[in-house]
Amino acid sequence: MVRGRDACWEHCVLVDATRQKVRCNYCHREFSGGVYRMKFHLAQIKNKDIVPCSEVPDEVRDLIHSILSTPRNKKASKKPKIDRVQNGPQNSSSASSGFHANNARSSGQHGSTCPSLLLPRPSPSSQPPLDDAQKQKHDNADKKIALFFFHNSIPFSASKSIQYQAMVDAIAECGVGYKAPTYEGLRSTHLEKAKSEICDNHKKLRDEWRETGCTIFSDSWSDGRSKSLLVFSIASPKGIQFLKSVDISSHADDAYYLFELLDSVIMDVGVENVVQVITDSATSYARTGGLLLKKYPSLFLSPCASYCIEKMLEDISKQDWMGTVLEEARTIARYIYSHDWILNIMRKFTGGKELIRPKLTRFATHFLTLRSIVIQEDNLKHMFSHADWLSSVYSRRPDAQAIRSLLFLERFWKSAREAVSVCEPLLKILRVVDGDMPAMGYIYEGIERAKLAIKILYKGCEEKYLPILEIIERRSVQPHSHLHAAAAFLNPSIFYNPNFKFDANIRNGFHAAMWKMFLEEKDKIELTKEQPVYLNAQGALGSEFAIMGRTLNAPGDWWAAYGYEIPIMQRAAMRILSQPCSSYWFKWNWSTFENLHTKKHNKMELEKLSDLVFVHCNLRLQAISQNRDGKCKPVVYDEIDVSSEWPTESESSSLLIDDSWLDDLPFDCRSTSSTYE
C-alpha cells in the first residue's frame, strides 16, 4: 500500500503495509483495509464493523465527511487546510522509530470512549450549509445546553447517552414555542409513563422467553458491616431487564428467606421460561440453591463464570515466581503513573497506549498491565535511554534508577513473558464471558484450550504445568457443570470440529442436562430418537448452508435455522445456547440502591423513588442492548484480542440517583405514620 496525497493521511499512520493496517491518530484504534476504511472511522460513519472515532476534532470529521461525499468521477475541490493538533502524532516514519508525538486530545484518556452508549450524531456536512444567522442560533443553542450542564452540575458523560441527541432532535422538531416538561410533570406524569413503557416492553419479551429461555441474576452487595442488598434482573438474548432490589440486611444468612425471594421472582417470570439462576457463591446461597432445586428440579444453578476465572487468576498469582513478576510490573506502572511528566513522555513512546486497565476486575487488571508492559518492552527501554529522559531531573533519582535497572533486567522479561503466556488463554475466556452475549456454548472449550496451551508452553514438563492445571481444575469444577457441558456438545462449531476432542465428561454432562430439562417421558423418547440426526449431521443439519453456518452463525441462530427436523433437541439447544455465563460485565452502582433502602421514606416517597430507580436501571440496560442490536456473533478464540476494549470498560458508570425532589411532595403524602423501616 503506497501512501498517496489523500488528506486522511494527515490523521492516521501506517502500521503494517502488508496487511494494510492503519492507526487513528486520535483514539489509536487500528483497522485493516487501508485508508479508505479509516475515512469512515474519522467521519463518524458506521460502516459494517467500523467503530466511529470519538476523539476526532469536529473540523477533521467534517473535512473527511466532505471528501467521502464528493463523487469520485468529479474533480475534488481544493482541500481546505486545517491546523494540526498541537503535539499531534507525526507520520509513519516517526511511528517506526518508536517515538510517537503525543496527541493532546488522547493524553490522559483510556483508549476510546464507549461506543455502546453513544448515539451517532449526524454530520453537519450532511445538512444544508448554515448562513451567519443560522450559525449564530446554533452557537447560542450550544451555549444554552452547556450552561444547563454547568449550572446543574450534570456530569459531562451524560452527553454520551443515547437519549441525549434523541432529546435534542425531538425538541427541534417541535419548533419555536415548545414548553419543556415542568418540575411537577417530570416527577409524576412523565415518570409514570416511562415506567409503564418499560413494563410493556418486559411483557413483550415474555413471548420470546418461551423460545429462548432466560437467566435470573441474583447479585448481592454488602458494606462489610451491617448493610446487605440484593438485586434481581433477567437476561435473555434481547438484553437484560432490572426487576427489583431488596434490603436483606437482617436476613443475609437466612437460606429460607433468600429462597422465598428467589421463588417469588421465578414465579413472576414463569418457571417454564427460566433455564438457570446465577447467584452469589456464599454458603447461604448454596443452601438456597438446594431448596430451589427441590421445588424446581428442571432448573440449573450456576455460579458467575467471570468470578470463577478471576479466582483462577488470583490463585495463579500466589505462586512465588508469578507473584514476584506481577509486583514488579505494578511497581513499574505505579512509578510511571505517579508523575504527570513521566506519564506523558511514556505515552509519546507508546503511541498513546496505556499500561493499566483500571475498569477491569482486580487480577485481570494485574495480568493485562503485565501484558502491556511486555508488548511495550522496546518502547519502554527506548524511553529510559532517550536523551529527553536522561536530561530530566527524574533520571537522577534513586527510584527512577531502580525502575530503569528493572527494565533492563533479563530475568524480569523472561518471567514476564512466561506469565503472559500462562494467563493469556484464561484472559481470552474472561474476555468472552465479560459481556451480555450468550457465551454458554464457549466456556467449556475455552477451559480445555487454556489447559492445552499451558501444556504446550512447558513442552510437557509436568513439574511446571501441573500446579497451574490443578488450580484451573479446582476452580473449574463449578463452571464445568452439566449445563456448560451440554452447551459445548450442542455448539456446532465445536461438536463438528475434528480438532476438538469430546471426552466422556461432555457426553455424560449433555445426557444429564437433557434428563433434567425434559421431565415428561414422551419428550425423553423423542430426544433419544433425534440424537443420531445431530450426531451424524443428517438432513438439514448436513446441508451445505448448515455446514457453512457452523462457524459463521452464532450457535443459537444455527439451531434456529437448521434444527427444525429435530424439534425437541432444537428447543433444548436454543434455550441452553441463548444464556449468558456471567453477571460481572454490568456493574451496578450500589449507591443507587443503598440510597433507596437506607433512608427512611414514607409510602409515597418510597414508591416514587422505587419507580425512579426502576426506570433509571432499565434505561441504562436498554442502551447496552440497543448497541448490540440483538445480534450475537460466533466466537473464534484465535481472533480474540484481550488488549481491545472490554464491555466492562466501555459500559459507563451508572449515575447517582438524586432524591431531593422527594422533599417537595405534598404534605398530605408525608405522614410519618406510613414510614417504612
Side-chain angles (χ1 to χ4, degrees):
M1 184 172 66
V2 180
R3 277 193 61 157
R5 295 182 179 179
D6 197 309
C8 189
W9 283 115
E10 294 290 326
H11 314 288
C12 60
V13 294
L14 179 63
V15 178
D16 187 337
T18 304
R19 299 174 60 190
Q20 294 191 354
K21 180 176 286 189
V22 291
R23 179 173 62 234
C24 175
N25 285 351
Y26 303 105
C27 70
H28 305 291
R29 285 183 181 271
E30 295 181 358
F31 294 98
S32 297
V35 73
Y36 179 72
R37 298 180 77 235
M38 180 59 68
K39 290 179 182 178
F40 287 89
H41 172 70
L42 291 172
Q44 295 183 332
I45 299 175
K46 282 193 173 182
N47 183 30
K48 295 182 180 178
D49 60 340
I50 300 176
V51 178
C53 182
S54 57
E55 302 293 331
V56 60
D58 291 345
E59 64 270 18
V60 176
R61 180 198 64 215
D62 297 346
L63 171 63
I64 302 301
H65 198 287
S66 66
I67 293 174
L68 287 172
S69 302
T70 302
R72 291 189 176 185
N73 59 350
K74 295 182 180 180
K75 186 176 180 180
S77 60
K78 186 176 181 180
K79 302 177 182 65
K81 293 184 178 180
I82 65 171
D83 294 332
R84 294 287 297 274
V85 178
Q86 184 178 2
N87 294 328
Q90 304 300 315
N91 58 25
S92 58
S93 62
S94 66
S96 62
S97 68
F99 187 92
H100 300 267
N102 185 36
N103 179 275
R105 282 182 169 263
S106 63
S107 178
Q109 298 297 320
H110 183 67
S112 63
T113 52
C114 166
S116 64
L117 300 184
L118 293 175
L119 183 70
R121 52 182 172 181
S123 174
S125 60
S126 63
Q127 303 170 357
L130 300 177
D131 57 29
D132 291 342
Q134 288 177 313
K135 186 177 186 305
Q136 186 174 357
K137 288 182 179 180
H138 282 225
D139 290 343
N140 185 54
D142 289 346
K143 174 184 175 182
K144 298 300 183 184
I145 293 173
L147 290 176
F148 180 75
F149 273 73
F150 304 153
H151 180 258
N152 295 283
S153 300
I154 299 174
F156 299 152
S157 59
S159 63
K160 299 177 183 178
S161 167
I162 63 171
Q163 307 294 339
Y164 181 58
Q165 186 62 44
M167 171 189 70
V168 175
D169 291 342
I171 294 173
E173 288 180 3
C174 293
V176 179
Y178 168 74
K179 298 297 183 182
T182 64
Y183 175 84
E184 291 296 334
L186 286 171
R187 66 177 185 163
S188 57
T189 306
H190 295 289
L191 180 59
E192 293 166 4
K193 285 183 178 180
K195 179 186 176 183
S196 178
E197 289 179 2
I198 291 172
C199 290
D200 290 342
N201 183 56
H202 287 190
K203 291 177 182 177
K204 294 177 182 178
L205 290 175
R206 287 179 178 270
D207 295 335
E208 298 186 11
W209 292 345
R210 296 190 184 96
E211 182 176 308
T212 64
C214 63
T215 293
I216 293 178
F217 287 139
S218 174
D219 299 293
S220 62
W221 171 87
S222 173
D223 62 1
R225 297 186 296 275
S226 60
K227 176 61 64 176
S228 296
L229 302 177
L230 194 61
V231 171
F232 293 103
S233 49
I234 307 173
S236 69
K238 289 293 185 180
I240 295 186
Q241 294 80 46
F242 165 80
L243 289 181
K244 62 181 178 179
S245 63
V246 183
D247 183 357
I248 59 169
S249 300
S250 57
H251 305 282
D253 297 322
D254 187 340
Y256 289 94
Y257 177 79
L258 298 175
F259 161 71
E260 290 177 358
L261 285 177
L262 275 168
D263 185 32
S264 66
V265 172
I266 292 172
M267 293 293 290
D268 182 53
V269 174
V271 63
E272 69 281 0
N273 297 325
V274 182
V275 175
Q276 68 170 343
V277 178
I278 296 182
T279 65
D280 195 285
S281 59
T283 305
S284 57
Y285 287 91
R287 296 196 299 269
T288 301
L291 295 172
L292 278 176
L293 292 179
K294 187 175 181 180
K295 183 172 182 179
Y296 304 111
S298 63
L299 288 185
F300 292 89
L301 293 177
S302 305
C304 175
S306 293
Y307 172 82
C308 296
I309 298 168
E310 179 78 3
K311 299 302 287 186
M312 291 180 198
L313 295 174
E314 179 182 358
D315 290 349
I316 291 173
S317 71
K318 292 178 181 178
Q319 294 191 318
D320 291 340
W321 72 273
M322 183 72 77
T324 298
V325 72
L326 285 173
E327 181 56 36
E328 289 172 336
R330 289 198 294 272
T331 300
I332 294 171
R334 277 196 300 265
Y335 175 76
I336 292 175
Y337 279 80
S338 63
H339 304 281
D340 289 341
W341 185 85
I342 299 175
L343 178 59
N344 286 332
I345 195 173
M346 182 274 290
R347 287 172 174 154
K348 291 180 181 180
F349 279 89
T350 62
K353 299 291 185 181
E354 301 288 352
L355 299 182
I356 62 174
R357 309 285 287 275
K359 292 185 179 180
L360 298 177
T361 53
R362 178 184 173 191
F363 290 97
T365 294
H366 293 343
F367 283 103
L368 286 173
T369 296
L370 178 63
R371 184 180 182 275
S372 297
I373 289 174
V374 169
I375 292 173
Q376 299 295 338
E377 176 182 356
D378 292 339
N379 288 332
L380 290 173
K381 287 180 177 178
H382 188 189
M383 166 186 162
F384 280 89
S385 302
H386 196 272
D388 287 355
W389 169 260
L390 296 175
S391 62
S392 71
V393 295
Y394 294 100
S395 64
R396 295 183 289 275
R397 295 176 180 175
D399 54 351
Q401 293 175 3
I403 295 295
R404 188 180 188 280
S405 298
L406 182 58
L407 287 171
F408 285 89
L409 185 63
E410 184 56 34
R411 189 270 309 159
F412 167 75
W413 292 111
K414 181 180 178 182
S415 297
R417 284 188 284 269
E418 180 182 349
V420 169
S421 298
V422 166
C423 295
E424 184 153 357
L426 294 175
L427 290 173
K428 284 189 173 185
I429 307 172
L430 191 59
R431 178 68 178 80
V432 170
V433 300
D434 183 66
D436 67 336
M437 66 162 284
M440 184 64 72
Y442 296 101
I443 187 170
Y444 205 109
E445 178 199 17
I447 294 292
E448 296 305 313
R449 280 175 170 266
K451 294 192 295 188
L452 179 60
I454 293 169
K455 283 184 179 180
I456 294 174
L457 172 67
Y458 288 116
K459 300 178 181 179
C461 179
E462 293 186 354
E463 182 181 357
K464 292 185 176 180
Y465 75 72
L466 277 181
I468 299 174
L469 262 58
E470 287 173 359
I471 291 173
I472 295 176
E473 287 290 344
R474 183 172 68 252
R475 293 295 186 179
S476 297
V477 171
Q478 290 176 314
H480 277 37
S481 66
H482 296 326
L483 189 65
H484 295 85
F489 187 88
L490 292 169
N491 185 342
S493 67
I494 299 174
F495 183 80
Y496 294 116
N497 185 349
N499 297 322
F500 188 81
K501 182 180 178 181
F502 273 82
D503 56 21
N505 290 331
I506 295 181
R507 295 181 182 274
N508 292 339
F510 166 73
H511 292 136
M514 295 301 99
W515 195 264
K516 183 178 178 68
M517 284 190 73
F518 296 100
L519 302 179
E520 296 188 17
E521 191 68 20
K522 62 176 184 177
D523 291 334
K524 293 177 180 178
I525 293 174
E526 288 301 315
L527 184 66
T528 303
K529 295 178 180 179
E530 291 176 356
Q531 283 189 51
V533 178
Y534 176 60
L535 296 176
N536 299 310
Q538 297 173 351
L541 299 183
S543 67
E544 293 183 359
F545 279 115
I547 293 173
M548 187 183 303
R550 291 171 184 172
T551 55
L552 295 179
N553 299 133
D557 293 340
W558 185 86
W559 274 98
Y562 308 110
Y564 50 86
E565 292 178 342
I566 46 176
I568 302 298
M569 200 165 183
Q570 181 190 46
R571 171 177 166 79
M574 290 179 62
R575 289 172 68 84
I576 291 175
L577 294 169
S578 295
Q579 306 312 311
C581 296
S582 170
S583 62
Y584 261 34
W585 64 271
F586 66 97
K587 301 295 184 182
W588 293 117
N589 185 338
W590 289 99
S591 298
T592 297
F593 308 114
E594 190 177 14
N595 186 34
L596 175 63
H597 295 291
T598 54
K599 294 183 180 180
K600 289 187 176 181
H601 298 289
N602 64 50
K603 185 175 181 180
M604 178 64 74
E605 289 176 332
L606 188 60
E607 289 178 354
K608 289 292 184 182
L609 187 56
S610 296
D611 289 348
L612 180 60
V613 170
F614 179 82
V615 170
H616 167 76
C617 292
N618 278 293
L619 288 177
R620 173 174 167 247
L621 293 171
Q622 281 181 17
I624 300 170
S625 178
Q626 287 175 18
N627 174 66
R628 185 163 58 83
D629 197 24
K631 297 177 182 177
C632 301
K633 297 180 180 179
V635 172
V636 181
Y637 275 97
D638 293 337
E639 297 179 1
I640 297 173
D641 181 10
V642 297
S643 63
S644 63
E645 188 177 59
W646 291 38
T648 304
E649 294 178 295
S650 63
E651 159 53 356
S652 69
S653 61
S654 179
L655 300 179
L656 193 64
I657 294 293
D658 175 18
D659 66 348
S660 61
W661 53 279
L662 293 172
D663 298 333
D664 297 324
L665 286 174
F667 183 79
D668 57 355
C669 296
R670 300 180 56 79
S671 172
T672 56
S673 62
S674 61
T675 299
Y676 279 6
E677 297 294 337

